[in-house]
Amino acid sequence: KLNMIEKENYFELTELSNEIFKSTYQYDNETIDQLWLRVGSHLASVEKEKEYYSQQFYNVLKDFKFIPAGRILSNAGAPYKGTSYINCFVSGFRGYDQDSMESISAELARQALILKSEGGYGFCASVLRPRGSNIVGIGSSSPGMVEFLQMWDTQSAVITKGSGIEQKGGKKKIRKGAQMVTSYIWHPDIEEFIKAKQIPNNLTKFNMSVLITDKFMNAVINNEMWDLVFPNIQNDKELYKSFWNGDIEQWVNKGGTLKVYKTLPAVDLYNLIMESTYNRAEPGVLFIDTINKMNNLTSIETINATNPCGEQPLPVGGACLLGSINLTQYIDFQLKDFNYDKLIED
């Protein structure tokens, strides 16, 4: 139904914008005006005055005055039952014995459901024991944190690939699996983590970031040595199962002991990050102590990961839905100022 759209209001997209619209957000063969109407009408569907709010939502969407998150543009009002309107989620290991196959399998299941719904996915892998660690009960050793990431990477590739066959009811633009994985700078596998994306076609479904602490930066500045450590699992078996959650400071404060796997100059590790990021733009860095100090919920949660593109730090179980007000659409060129009344109204 296009009764609310006047022909003179049809919006002409640039060539690049049109390409992005068609490849990412368009349902079937709709125009951009029809997308705004689809989304606006759906958002108004829970209001008592549906027709009034359909017009209001359409008015604020048209001409890109307000740009909702991508999953809203793609899915709101389209005939899909299993898709998300939330763009990104941060997940992670939970409960008892977080570094177990049961826990890993449970997190992989959460990843699969998030990606299936077209949500982006982020998590911290520092819970996982380092390469070569003994696994009690099976007489084997762990392949390590970075090798385990292949499971997340492969699952993402399969879930988001699609068949390439168009289904009845219109074309669906599949969102490719967006993922972020982080690791603390103290983890024994951190050098392997830093260099992982230097290998072509390795972990291609991930953005990767190193969690940098104030203690590490001070060690770099003062040219000090840096220990790569992990809980001493053999010494603290039950404590490890009941308490280890990937936070080394909480572990030590709880009375857990540490095993030093390697000691190296902090500046060498820092330079490895810089060289890797210069060569292949990975990994990124997150100044995690600053993030947690600035979080107004830091008394009840610890953040160790972000959404896939890194602009929103979130706790385990957190979600983000970022939208944009396009201020260029509110300039009053005669007054050489913003149209504040219109901005406030919208």
Side-chain angles (χ1 to χ4, degrees), residues 285-330:
V285 297
L286 294 166
F287 294 102
I288 197 62
D289 289 340
T290 301
I291 286 171
N292 278 294
K293 286 173 187 174
M294 295 182 70
N295 177 21
N296 60 2
L297 295 176
T298 193
S299 63
I300 59 171
E301 67 185 21
T302 299
I303 290 174
N304 59 19
T306 72
N307 69 337
C309 294
E311 73 270 41
Q312 183 61 64
L314 291 164
V316 172
C320 70
L321 190 65
L322 308 178
S324 302
I325 294 283
N326 183 359
L327 292 178
T328 67
Q329 300 300 305
Y330 296 90

Side-chain angles (χ1 to χ4, degrees), residues 185-236:
I185 191 67
W186 45 255
H187 196 283
D189 289 347
I190 192 61
E191 291 173 287
E192 186 181 357
F193 183 91
I194 292 167
K195 296 185 290 186
K197 297 285 283 280
Q198 305 301 297
I199 304 168
N201 301 316
N202 188 42
L203 299 179
T204 59
K205 298 301 180 181
F206 277 116
N207 287 326
M208 305 178 75
S209 284
V210 179
L211 303 179
I212 300 287
T213 62
D214 292 347
K215 185 178 179 181
F216 174 75
M217 289 308 301
N218 288 329
V220 172
I221 293 167
N222 297 318
N223 201 27
E224 296 172 350
M225 303 300 286
W226 182 253
D227 291 335
L228 303 183
V229 299
F230 201 77
N232 193 325
I233 303 171
Q234 300 304 314
N235 279 8
D236 305 303

Side-chain angles (χ1 to χ4, degrees), residues 20-21 23-27 30 32 35-36 38-39 43 61 64 66-78 80 83-89 117-120 172-176 178 307 309 311 320-324:
I20 294 172
F21 163 61
S23 65
T24 309
Y25 304 116
Q26 183 185 50
Y27 171 68
E30 68 185 352
I32 188 65
L35 178 148
W36 289 327
R38 163 171 62 82
V39 173
L43 295 179
L61 289 167
F64 299 101
F66 174 68
I67 305 170
R71 292 311 86 206
I72 290 177
L73 289 176
S74 179
N75 296 328
Y80 312 120
T83 55
S84 173
Y85 290 3
I86 304 295
N87 259 39
C88 297
F89 302 80
S117 75
E118 298 187 347
K172 171 62 178 171
K173 311 304 182 186
I174 300 298
R175 187 189 195 199
K176 300 301 182 185
N307 69 337
C309 294
E311 73 270 41
C320 70
L321 190 65
L322 308 178
S324 302

Side-chain angles (χ1 to χ4, degrees), residues 118-181:
E118 298 187 347
Y121 171 85
F123 83 120
C124 179
S126 292
V127 164
L128 300 172
R129 69 188 73 192
R131 181 185 289 273
S133 299
N134 182 52
I135 302 176
V136 177
I138 65 172
S140 184
S141 58
S142 171
M145 173 181 67
V146 179
E147 198 64 36
F148 262 111
L149 294 179
Q150 300 293 345
M151 298 169 69
W152 277 264
D153 194 67
T154 300
Q155 184 160 271
S156 173
V158 172
I159 289 173
T160 61
K161 186 175 183 179
S163 66
I165 301 172
E166 290 186 12
Q167 304 296 316
K168 291 182 179 179
K171 297 179 292 182
K172 171 62 178 171
K173 311 304 182 186
I174 300 298
R175 187 189 195 199
K176 300 301 182 185
Q179 298 189 111
M180 167 69 81
V181 61

Side-chain angles (χ1 to χ4, degrees), residues 106-121:
E107 184 54 35
L108 282 165
R110 284 189 286 269
Q111 179 224 21
L113 293 174
I114 289 170
L115 295 180
K116 168 183 172 289
S117 75
E118 298 187 347
Y121 171 85

Side-chain angles (χ1 to χ4, degrees), residues 205-273:
K205 298 301 180 181
F206 277 116
N207 287 326
M208 305 178 75
S209 284
V210 179
L211 303 179
I212 300 287
T213 62
D214 292 347
K215 185 178 179 181
F216 174 75
M217 289 308 301
N218 288 329
V220 172
I221 293 167
N222 297 318
N223 201 27
E224 296 172 350
M225 303 300 286
W226 182 253
D227 291 335
L228 303 183
V229 299
F230 201 77
N232 193 325
I233 303 171
Q234 300 304 314
N235 279 8
D236 305 303
K237 292 179 182 178
E238 186 50 42
L239 186 65
Y240 186 77
K241 289 183 178 181
S242 60
F243 188 77
W244 174 241
N245 64 358
D247 189 312
I248 209 77
E249 289 190 8
Q250 290 183 18
W251 171 258
V252 172
N253 291 338
K254 195 72 174 180
T257 58
L258 296 175
K259 178 180 177 180
V260 177
Y261 283 73
K262 183 177 181 178
T263 301
L264 73 165
V267 70
D268 287 358
L269 197 51
Y270 183 84
N271 285 338
L272 182 62
I273 297 172

